[in-house]
Amino acid sequence: MSECTLQPLNNPLSGEILVPGDKSISHRAVIFGSLASGITKITHFLDGEDCMRTVEAFREMGVSIDVHDTTLIIRSKGAKSLAEPIRPLDFGNSGTTTRLMLGILAGLPFFTTIYGDDSLSKRPMDRVVNPLRQMGAIIDGRLNGNLLPIAVRGTAIKGMHYTLPVKSAQVKSAILLAGLFAEGETKVTEPIPTRNHTENMLKAFGADLTTNGNTITVTNKQELTGTDVHVPGDISSAAFFLVASAIVPGSDVLLKNMGLNPSRTGIIEVLNKMGARIQIVAEHSTSGEAFGNVRVAHGPLKGITIEGEIIPRLIDEIPVIALLATQAEGTTVIKNAEELRVKETDRIKAIVDVLTTLGADITATDDGLIIKGKTPLNGGYIASYNDHRIAMMGAVASLIADSEVTIDDTSCIAISYPNFFKDLESIS
């Protein structure tokens, strides 16, 4: 438990921040580096708690992974060399580790038990377990395998064609990962495109993967080969500073090395539409992933409607977008975001609770939020719900509150952004 009291800011934000490594890409780099034959070097890795859960899981299966600050060296003899772990795997609070690893463990020739903390133990896994069972996976756990702890008896699995019923890159990725071990072709069709880091990285490691429209196909024909991976900065982490600079009068902040994968840049489009002054200063790419420097400055904001195909491209940023909307003139409506109900907590409920406590005019709907602005924010005592993104949203809100804001527990921020407060202090 780490209670934190924050004082209002009396000056603009200014300066530069090197955005920490992308969480989604860091997880996947470790996974593919561990499944590949040879040496994989990962630079600008996010050494947060979630990603380290993935590192520890593969260490338990015999992979050599050396960590030097944000550089990882993975030495592996390939997926066939992975060994049965001698103890249950603890995935902590990491939903990404859990869902992606289920896809891998389903096709490995040994038994594994996985578990997590109280929060992770409440998150639904049937969205991954059920399609994996259709491929022949043998999986059991609480509520028929919907909740952790879960046991996986690895076995021979077969490819299939699966159409995603939910907008989830984790579900897509779990099935594609299982496809690396499955007989025949594994196809995943997604009605609305979700983040494509898995596809980009599979190609970088030499997998037999093709994409045709919204359908991705993978086979087990090609063995993965170790490669170098540079992890761009996490746009979901950068989002808190993008919004902070947009809502604190007079601010002007440069975010360096920020990931600009088009499947993740919904937050930039929203900022543009709402009137924030934002520009991409430089852009590069590596392993199929775009990144660059992004500058954002304060400006007058207006309410908009956020719905449809953009939602999967900003789902993790909605808490801080809701805060942004409190400082925009008019009404902002967020729809089609029911996926927020099954994140680290019910994020729709958590967002409304926190921002209402701070004086916002915000209402929950079944699949989103209605926020009326512009509203001055007051101080108060708020809950983090043990959710890193809710805690960071509260911290950014404190910058424009009229009195101090106390967050009941900020330790959860270490899951994705260990240096969050240090970076916030550096520009304020």
Side-chain angles (χ1 to χ4, degrees), residues 366-385:
D366 288 343
D367 67 343
L369 300 157
I370 300 170
I371 307 118
K372 295 180 180 178
K374 180 179 179 182
T375 310
L377 299 185
N378 49 250
Y381 186 90
I382 58 175
S384 69
Y385 287 86

Side-chain angles (χ1 to χ4, degrees), residues 343-417:
K343 289 288 187 176
E344 280 80 341
T345 185
D346 179 342
R347 278 192 179 151
I348 291 177
K349 179 179 181 296
I351 291 166
V352 171
D353 174 46
V354 170
L355 293 181
T356 299
T357 299
L358 298 179
D361 185 345
I362 181 169
T363 305
T365 63
D366 288 343
D367 67 343
L369 300 157
I370 300 170
I371 307 118
K372 295 180 180 178
K374 180 179 179 182
T375 310
L377 299 185
N378 49 250
Y381 186 90
I382 58 175
S384 69
Y385 287 86
N386 196 33
D387 184 329
H388 53 136
R389 304 206 193 278
I390 299 299
M392 287 187 280
M393 178 191 74
V396 174
S398 75
L399 300 175
I400 57 170
D402 65 7
S403 58
E404 67 182 28
V405 172
T406 299
I407 306 171
D408 69 342
D409 187 4
T410 57
S411 60
C412 53
I413 292 174
I415 286 169
S416 65
Y417 203 154

Side-chain angles (χ1 to χ4, degrees), residues 108-264:
L108 292 175
F110 49 69
F111 175 81
T112 318
T113 301
I114 60 177
Y115 70 103
D117 66 11
D118 289 346
S119 172
L120 186 62
S121 299
K122 296 172 185 173
R123 298 181 68 179
M125 297 298 155
D126 55 350
R127 55 183 48 196
V128 169
V129 168
N130 290 341
L132 290 175
R133 283 174 173 162
Q134 292 176 38
M135 299 175 76
I138 303 171
I139 301 172
D140 202 4
R142 288 195 304 134
L143 289 185
N144 193 31
N146 184 35
L147 299 176
L148 270 60
I150 285 176
V152 184
R153 173 69 65 185
T155 188
I157 54 178
K158 294 185 177 181
M160 67 168 180
H161 189 169
Y162 188 71
T163 299
L164 289 180
V166 293
K167 301 184 286 283
S168 172
Q170 290 181 359
V171 177
K172 172 179 68 174
S173 297
I175 298 166
L176 292 175
L177 285 165
L180 295 176
F181 303 92
E183 178 187 336
E185 291 185 338
T186 298
K187 296 176 180 282
V188 179
T189 297
E190 45 183 356
I192 297 176
T194 60
R195 58 184 66 176
N196 62 356
H197 303 308
T198 294
E199 297 96 300
N200 289 342
M201 200 160 291
L202 276 168
K203 290 176 183 176
F205 278 87
D208 178 27
L209 179 138
T210 56
T211 301
N212 183 8
N214 283 7
T215 297
I216 307 105
T217 303
V218 69
T219 76
N220 66 357
K221 293 178 182 177
Q222 194 68 39
E223 185 175 347
L224 304 185
T225 303
T227 188
D228 290 350
V229 178
H230 175 75
V231 181
D234 196 323
I235 194 168
S236 296
S237 295
F240 295 94
F241 295 106
L242 293 173
V243 168
S245 190
I247 64 176
V248 175
S251 295
D252 190 340
V253 174
L254 182 69
L255 297 165
K256 303 178 74 174
N257 189 52
M258 192 174 96
L260 295 170
N261 182 310
S263 68
R264 296 283 296 282

Side-chain angles (χ1 to χ4, degrees), residues 259-331:
L260 295 170
N261 182 310
S263 68
R264 296 283 296 282
T265 51
I267 177 73
I268 292 178
E269 291 176 31
V270 164
L271 282 161
N272 271 321
K273 288 178 181 177
M274 294 181 77
R277 295 159 55 203
I278 185 167
Q279 63 179 131
I280 297 170
V281 180
E283 188 168 357
H284 313 277
S285 65
T286 179
S287 301
E289 295 289 348
F291 63 97
N293 298 340
V294 178
R295 187 173 187 173
V296 62
H298 174 262
L301 303 170
K302 62 183 179 182
I304 61 172
T305 296
I306 305 167
E307 62 182 338
E309 293 190 2
I310 197 172
I311 294 296
R313 297 172 52 224
L314 50 65
I315 191 72
D316 286 336
E317 291 76 70
I318 287 178
V320 80
I321 288 173
L323 170 62
L324 177 73
T326 69
Q327 302 309 299
E329 294 291 345
T331 300

